[in-house]
Amino acid sequence: MKIIDNIKELKEEIKKLKGSIGLVPTMGALHNGHLSLIKRAVNENDNVVVSIFVNPIQFGINEDLDKYPRQLKQDAFLCEKERVDIIFAPKASEMYSDEKNNLTLICPPYEVVDKLCGKSRPGHFDGVCSVVAKLFNLTKADKAYFGQKDAQQLFIVKKMVKDLNFDVEIISCPIIREADNLALSSRNQYLTENDRKLALNISKALFNIKKLFSEGIVDIKALVDVSLKIMEGLDVEYIEFADRNTFNFQTKADRNTIVLIAAKVPESKTRLIDNINLWE
Ligand code: PAF
C-alpha cells in the first residue's frame, strides 16, 4: 500500500494502475462504518484509493476543524489490513493553493442546500462538492463509495455527478451502528459517557417512528411530538420528513420517507446526525 501526500505522485501512480478504480473519500479517524465502504470497494474494484483529508473548506468558522480527530498511522494500519492500494492524504496547502473565497468552487443549488445540515452550515456543501470533484478528477475513479448516514451529502453528490456528467458511479452504503444502535461517526470520539447515553435517544426516536409508521401512523406532527419527548435533554436542530428521491419535505409520511435528525449533546456540544428510511 502506498501512502501519497502530493498530487503529482498520485497522478503518476493512478496512470500505472490497470483495471477499475474504487475511491472511498474520508476525513480519516476510520471506524467500522468507513471499513464497510472500504471492504465493499475492495470487493468490487481492481484498485482501491482511500482519501484521508480533513477538508478545511467544508468547515464553518465555529466548527470543529482544529479538534477533528487525525490519526493517520492507525488509519493506514486499518487500510493495509483491508488491502487498500493507495492512501491519498494531502495537506490542505497541497489541495488548495488559495483561500476559499478565491477558489473555483462547485456550488449546489439553493433548493438542496438551504435545508437540513446545509441550513446551519452555510457553504458546507460547496466545500464537500468541490473536494469530492477534485478527488474524482485526481483518482479517475470508476466507483466512489459514500455512507447513507450523511444522507443529504449523498443526495447532493449524486446530483452533482448527474448534473456535471462525472464519469463515476456513486455507491451508497448502509449506516453502520453500534450494538445499541448509535450510528457510527468519527465525532462519537468526543462524547462523554453522559452524552453517549443521551445520544442513543436519536436512533431510539428514529426506530420508534419507523415502528409507529408500520402501525399506520403517518401524521408527521404526531410523530415529531413523540420523538421530541424521547430526545428530551438533547438540543435538536432538526427532525424532518423528506421524500428520499427528491429530498423535498413532506406533509405526510409514506413509503418514500426518509426521516432525518440533527442534534447536539449537552456536555461535549457534539453535533450528531442520523436518519432512517421508513420503508426498505
Ligand atoms: O463524509 C465525509 O467524510 C466528507 O464530507 C467527504 C465526503 C470525505 C468530503 O470531505
Side-chain angles (χ1 to χ4, degrees):
M1 184 180 78
K2 291 205 158 68
I3 303 181
I4 297 176
D5 66 3
N6 69 89
I7 288 174
K8 185 169 173 287
E9 192 186 341
L10 177 68
K11 283 186 167 178
E12 284 164 7
E13 287 305 319
I14 294 289
K15 259 193 208 137
K16 288 187 212 156
L17 298 179
K18 302 238 176 334
S20 62
I21 301 174
L23 167 69
V24 184
T26 81
M27 299 207 299
L30 302 182
H31 49 66
N32 282 339
H34 297 112
L35 293 183
S36 72
L37 311 189
I38 294 172
K39 281 182 205 292
R40 181 147 175 207
V42 169
N43 270 333
E44 295 181 354
N45 297 276
D46 300 306
N47 308 279
V48 170
V49 181
V50 174
S51 62
I52 296 181
F53 179 55
V54 183
N55 175 32
I57 68 165
Q58 71 184 70
F59 285 78
I61 34 172
N62 293 321
E63 294 182 8
D64 57 344
L65 173 63
D66 292 337
K67 77 166 188 179
Y68 198 87
R70 288 157 172 91
Q71 45 194 59
L72 184 57
K73 224 171 151 186
Q74 160 79 358
D75 290 347
F77 172 76
L78 295 171
C79 287
E80 179 126 53
K81 247 173 76 187
E82 298 301 335
R83 293 175 289 114
V84 166
D85 301 280
I86 296 175
I87 288 182
F88 178 51
K91 289 214 164 65
S93 54
E94 180 69 12
M95 288 295 268
Y96 304 118
S97 53
D98 227 323
E99 296 296 312
K100 185 177 180 185
N101 59 8
N102 212 17
L103 286 171
T104 303
L105 298 175
I106 294 188
C107 305
Y110 184 76
E111 285 69 25
V112 297
V113 295
D114 189 41
K115 56 170 74 163
L116 303 165
C117 294
K119 187 124 195 144
S120 64
R121 305 187 72 188
H124 170 68
F125 288 114
D126 300 354
V128 169
C129 285
S130 302
V131 78
V132 166
K134 277 166 82 78
L135 292 168
F136 291 165
N137 285 336
L138 291 170
T139 60
K140 307 212 180 309
D142 299 286
K143 291 184 179 168
Y145 296 78
F146 290 84
Q148 281 162 13
K149 187 170 83 68
D150 296 293
Q152 188 181 14
Q153 166 173 286
L154 179 59
F155 177 78
I156 288 174
V157 168
K158 277 188 181 162
K159 178 166 170 55
M160 172 185 82
V161 164
K162 181 168 163 273
D163 290 352
L164 299 181
N165 305 100
F166 277 98
D167 229 349
V168 59
E169 186 186 346
I170 303 301
I171 310 290
S172 60
C173 304
I175 298 175
I176 304 295
R177 299 179 180 280
E178 305 270 14
D180 55 12
N181 274 340
L182 182 70
L184 294 191
S185 161
S186 302
R187 289 188 169 97
N188 290 353
Q189 292 189 21
Y190 304 150
L191 301 177
T192 61
E193 210 180 311
N194 190 40
D195 276 352
R196 198 184 176 291
K197 268 192 209 137
L198 278 170
L200 286 180
N201 292 331
I202 300 173
S203 53
K204 197 169 166 194
L206 288 170
F207 281 96
N208 185 54
I209 291 174
K210 188 166 175 143
K211 180 177 156 282
L212 294 174
F213 175 75
S214 74
E215 290 164 6
I217 300 180
V218 294
D219 181 70
I220 290 180
K221 187 175 176 317
L223 293 168
V224 168
D225 285 350
V226 75
S227 305
L228 289 176
K229 283 218 177 76
I230 293 175
M231 292 191 287
E232 247 165 52
L234 290 165
D235 179 7
V236 178
E237 183 183 305
Y238 63 73
I239 166 165
E240 298 285 5
F241 289 61
D243 181 308
R244 68 175 125 167
N245 302 308
T246 60
F247 266 63
N248 290 333
F249 290 155
Q250 298 178 306
T251 49
K252 248 192 210 164
D254 63 29
R255 288 183 178 199
N256 289 323
T257 300
I258 178 170
V259 186
L260 308 110
I261 294 179
K264 274 193 185 145
V265 284
E267 282 173 7
S268 61
K269 307 271 178 253
T270 306
R271 182 179 178 280
L272 299 169
I273 58 172
D274 199 351
N275 65 76
I276 203 162
N277 285 315
L278 292 190
W279 195 266
E280 38 188 5

